[in-house]
Amino acid sequence: RDIIFMMSGVLDEDETVMMFCASCGTAENENIRLKKCNACKSVRYCGVQCQKDHRPQHKRACKKRVADLRDEILFKQPESTHLGDCPICC
């Protein structure tokens, strides 16, 4: 099996995702459950102290990621155009 080191992702059946604390590098295992950043959901931490320690480095990227996610949701195109649904308009 291949081991791929990453924060998150979708992998093939024969690959394993290893997740690490963004601050100290501790790997997630059966004894340590990493928690996602509440705002951007893109980095993980083993504890509150690591999250606080890493905040100065993460703050700018976190705010950008949150804004990108908000824009993606706001400007997402609808799945259908609803043309033909209204007898008056169409």
Side-chain angles (χ1 to χ4, degrees), residues 27-79:
E28 182 175 63
N29 59 45
E30 59 274 350
N31 298 321
I32 299 172
R33 301 294 303 164
L34 299 178
K35 294 146 191 80
K36 292 179 185 177
C37 171
N38 288 332
C40 71
K41 313 284 191 239
S42 64
V43 297
R44 296 173 186 255
Y45 299 103
C46 62
V48 174
Q49 191 58 49
C50 277
Q51 188 174 9
K52 287 179 181 178
D53 292 346
H54 190 249
R55 182 69 181 154
Q57 295 95 327
H58 177 61
K59 187 176 179 179
R60 180 176 286 158
C62 183
K63 286 184 176 187
K64 183 179 183 329
R65 175 72 177 143
V66 169
D68 289 346
L69 288 172
R70 186 183 61 239
D71 289 347
E72 185 177 309
I73 291 168
L74 288 175
F75 298 110
K76 184 177 181 180
Q77 295 295 319
E79 292 184 18

Side-chain angles (χ1 to χ4, degrees), residues 1-5 11-18:
R1 293 174 58 102
D2 295 329
I3 297 178
I4 296 178
F5 302 99
L11 301 174
D12 295 334
E13 293 176 18
D14 61 335
E15 296 175 322
T16 303
V17 174
M18 295 292 294

